[in-house]
Amino acid sequence: MRAGRRCRPVPESRRGKRAARAAGALDERLPLAELTRGVLRKVFPDHWSFLLGELALYSFAVLLLTGVYLSLFFDPSMRETPYQGSYEPLHGVLMSQAYLSTLRISFDVRGGLLIRQIHHWAAIVFLAAIGAHMLRVFLTGAFRRPRELNWVIGVTLFLLAMLEGFAGYSLPDDLLSGTGLRIAQGVMLSVPVIGTYLSCFAFGGEFPGQDIVPRLYPVHVLLVPGLLLGLVTVHLLLVFHLKHTHWAGPGRTARNVVGLPFFPQYLAKSGGLFFTVFGVLAALAAVAQVNPIWVYGPYRADLVSDGSQPDWYIGFLEGALRLMPGVETRLWGHTVSWNPLVTAVLMPGLLFTVLYAYPFFERWITGDTGERHLCDRPRDRPVRTALGAAALSWYAVLLLAGAQDILAFLFALPLPPLTWTLRAALFAVPAAVFWLTRRLCLALQSHERELLTDGAETGLAVQDAEGAFHPRYEALPPGERYTMLARDLPAPLEYDGDPTRSLPRRALSRTRAAVSVWFHRDRVPYPLTPEQRRKAAATLAGPDRPEDPGPPRG
């Protein structure tokens, strides 16, 4: 018998040449090398506030992973069946397949209840992270050119996430989610002329119908997640293309980004954040019960859950419905119910219209079309910061109003006076918060002016020859001084009063100048030498602006 021939080992140099040829051939067809180099060299700011967007991203990833698992066991059918499962208190109760399959996931599928609760907690954190990220972008002015489109995408993501949360919240067909669907049907009916058509289309006939859950299911697991995934991808691509904003500091200007490279430092940091998010959500799911549908029971149109409350991101709509008086008007043969129409249709529509339009509104009253890559400190924009704080307080009042019955029960308060108090607070609290926040920002600016002028207190005192004591000051560190002086404060626009313009254009110009003065007039001038002014202008000059000091800006 002839012995087999031994294979000779391939020399290392030949292996390297083969690998290089294969990589070159692949790169000719797919520009992987160029793309990989750009991604690996991408620099990310290392400030904690920039992790809020990643917190939303990783919560969304957890939602997708747990949602795929739950979809394997959930049945969206409305066919009713007596329950014979593991939860004995509901034995023999007639319920839909949607509710029954949710019970089966909770009690009969191994790990099902844990995955369900991780999914629900991830949805809550996802919305909260998007809201916190948008608030950071708003307060720091990171929505300005060239990032207006990313702001619009972010607002759309928040809107779609709310829709996704409501759809998922409604799928189990329990008594709590059914109450929410009943409210949604009332909102649809309040739309003049087409309200009944909207309700019939959504519910497949009279409420509750047999079609709402089967129709919400593909919306929740396919349509909205697909839109969210696509918009998140576009959002991240724009972040890579436009580069990050960052805080002013030594070596940090509007022409660079200072931080950690994507590989390996930021990748390790971001990967750690993902596992931390997953671990925290799993811990919450294990120890903090959320949405116990077996306590509520299956939905029946003649019952309402006592003390029913939606998730926090819908709570402001619930509060608005409770505070708005029940007023109806008969117009042209149609009854207009102002309570759901104003609070659940017109008010959210106006709110999101303002959010979409705000970057363009601020650019209009500023008159500045240049690029902005440095974050504003909230104290340097008192009116913008005060508007954000007032909006948060307005939302907080509505959230409390959504639980007015529970508050009245817990604190033994009569419900009518509590309702009137919350109605008054809805207007008084945002106004007070706006004034207080604005004054606080100006006070912080005044304090910084004193630090720049006199220096920081050392805690020591010097006694002069006459016996008087004087505090001792020391100059601020260069880094702190640099950050304080690198602020871009646009001057208010002036009304030109051009008589050749038409009357409407003159009125618009006058309005624009008045709003600009109201928005930009609050400032505390800092003591700047010509050299400091030149350095601040060089720091603030973006890629599209020359490095000259220009007119004085604060």
Side-chain angles (χ1 to χ4, degrees):
M1 185 174 178
R2 200 171 176 183
R5 182 182 298 177
R6 288 187 177 183
C7 296
R8 295 181 179 178
V10 180
E12 292 292 335
S13 59
R14 190 178 302 176
R15 292 179 185 175
K17 290 180 181 180
R18 290 179 180 178
R21 283 197 300 268
L26 186 62
D27 188 56
E28 289 176 358
R29 294 158 178 80
L30 298 172
L32 297 179
E34 181 179 355
L35 180 62
T36 303
R37 282 195 300 269
V39 172
L40 295 182
R41 293 175 181 176
K42 175 70 176 175
V43 175
F44 289 82
D46 56 355
H47 195 268
W48 66 267
S49 63
F50 293 94
L51 297 178
L52 294 173
E54 295 189 27
L55 182 61
L57 176 64
Y58 295 145
S59 301
F60 181 56
V62 174
L63 276 172
L64 292 179
L65 293 174
T66 55
V68 169
Y69 182 82
L70 294 175
S71 66
L72 300 176
F73 305 99
F74 182 75
D75 182 2
S77 171
M78 296 295 286
R79 179 173 55 85
E80 292 187 330
T81 307
Y83 180 69
Q84 301 296 331
S86 302
Y87 189 65
E88 293 187 359
L90 290 178
H91 268 199
V93 176
L94 201 64
M95 59 185 63
S96 65
Q97 287 295 315
Y99 185 75
L100 189 148
S101 61
T102 309
L103 287 178
R104 186 182 300 118
I105 291 172
S106 302
F107 294 108
D108 299 320
V109 175
R110 186 178 296 275
L113 181 58
L114 180 65
I115 298 299
R116 252 197 78 227
Q117 299 216 141
I118 291 177
H119 189 74
H120 200 111
W121 277 114
I124 294 174
V125 174
F126 179 50
L127 267 296
I130 292 179
H133 178 62
M134 289 182 59
L135 185 62
R136 196 275 301 176
V137 171
F138 176 82
L139 293 177
T140 61
F143 54 79
R144 294 173 297 176
R145 185 184 175 191
R147 297 174 181 83
E148 302 96 333
L149 179 58
N150 242 2
W151 171 264
V152 171
I153 291 175
V155 175
T156 306
L157 284 171
F158 188 66
L159 184 60
L160 288 175
M162 291 178 63
L163 175 62
E164 175 77 347
F166 179 77
Y169 174 84
S170 304
L171 286 181
D173 194 37
D174 60 284
L175 192 55
L176 184 61
S177 66
T179 302
L181 284 174
R182 183 59 163 170
I183 295 174
Q185 193 240 2
V187 172
M188 294 178 191
L189 291 175
S190 70
V191 180
V193 182
I194 63 172
T196 53
Y197 298 98
L198 291 175
S199 176
C200 287
F201 172 77
F203 291 90
E206 292 292 333
F207 180 86
Q210 297 293 316
D211 297 335
I212 182 62
V213 171
R215 289 176 178 177
L216 283 177
Y217 184 66
V219 170
H220 180 69
V221 303
L222 182 62
L223 178 60
V224 178
L227 292 174
L228 286 171
L229 191 59
L231 288 176
V232 166
T233 303
V234 174
H235 183 78
L236 294 177
L237 289 175
L238 286 176
V239 169
F240 267 78
H241 174 68
L242 299 173
K243 80 178 185 179
H244 283 81
T245 57
H246 60 166
W247 297 98
R252 300 180 181 184
T253 71
R255 296 172 180 265
N256 65 4
V257 177
V258 178
L260 302 175
F262 177 75
F263 182 84
Q265 288 93 335
Y266 198 83
L267 182 61
K269 181 179 179 180
S270 185
L273 178 63
F274 169 75
F275 289 109
T276 300
V277 170
F278 190 87
V280 170
L281 291 175
L284 280 173
V287 302
Q289 181 173 269
V290 62
N291 197 25
I293 61 162
W294 54 90
V295 176
Y296 311 138
Y299 179 66
R300 284 177 47 183
D302 59 331
L303 297 178
V304 176
S305 292
D306 184 30
S308 59
Q309 301 293 318
D311 284 337
W312 71 269
Y313 47 88
I314 304 293
F316 79 103
L317 292 178
E318 175 82 10
L321 287 168
R322 296 189 182 201
L323 293 186
M324 178 75 181
V327 180
E328 294 182 351
T329 305
R330 188 76 176 171
L331 295 174
W332 301 291
H334 297 276
T335 299
V336 180
S337 181
W338 294 106
N339 180 302
L341 179 63
V342 171
T343 58
V345 179
L346 299 181
M347 184 193 71
L350 178 62
L351 172 63
F352 279 94
T353 299
V354 170
L355 290 176
Y356 277 118
Y358 186 84
F360 310 98
F361 162 77
E362 187 166 313
R363 187 175 65 182
W364 180 65
I365 63 172
T366 302
D368 188 2
T369 58
E371 294 185 6
R372 294 290 179 269
H373 299 287
L374 283 178
C375 294
D376 288 332
R377 295 187 307 163
R379 68 184 65 183
D380 291 332
R381 298 298 179 104
V383 174
R384 182 205 291 159
T385 305
L387 287 174
L392 283 179
S393 66
W394 175 80
Y395 173 84
V397 171
L398 288 179
L399 195 61
L400 288 175
Q404 60 174 172
D405 53 341
I406 296 179
L407 293 175
F409 175 76
L410 291 177
F411 297 101
L413 299 173
L415 190 59
L418 178 61
T419 301
W420 279 104
T421 301
L422 291 171
R423 286 173 179 171
L426 185 62
F427 298 96
V429 170
V433 169
F434 177 89
W435 178 86
L436 181 62
T437 304
R438 176 175 159 272
R439 298 305 306 172
L440 180 60
C441 291
L442 294 175
L444 291 173
Q445 291 184 35
S446 298
H447 177 64
E448 285 189 350
R449 178 184 172 88
E450 294 177 0
L451 292 177
L452 291 170
T453 304
D454 303 328
E457 293 185 5
T458 61
L460 301 177
V462 178
Q463 186 177 14
D464 59 19
E466 298 178 354
F469 290 91
H470 304 280
R472 176 178 290 180
Y473 297 90
E474 63 180 6
L476 291 177
E480 291 186 23
R481 180 179 291 270
Y482 185 98
T483 302
M484 292 179 184
L485 296 180
R487 59 175 194 162
D488 190 10
L489 303 182
L493 298 177
E494 297 181 358
Y495 173 60
D496 54 9
D498 187 357
T500 61
R501 293 182 178 179
S502 62
L503 184 61
R505 291 179 64 86
R506 290 202 303 270
L508 182 62
S509 179
R510 184 180 289 109
T511 302
R512 181 188 182 191
V515 176
S516 180
V517 169
W518 170 76
F519 195 90
H520 293 299
R521 68 183 176 186
D522 293 329
R523 66 182 69 197
V524 176
Y526 286 2
L528 293 175
T529 64
E531 178 64 18
Q532 289 172 337
R533 193 180 303 279
R534 186 191 65 78
K535 290 183 178 179
T539 300
L540 297 169
D544 63 333
R545 292 193 294 174
E547 298 185 23
D548 58 63
R553 290 194 169 205

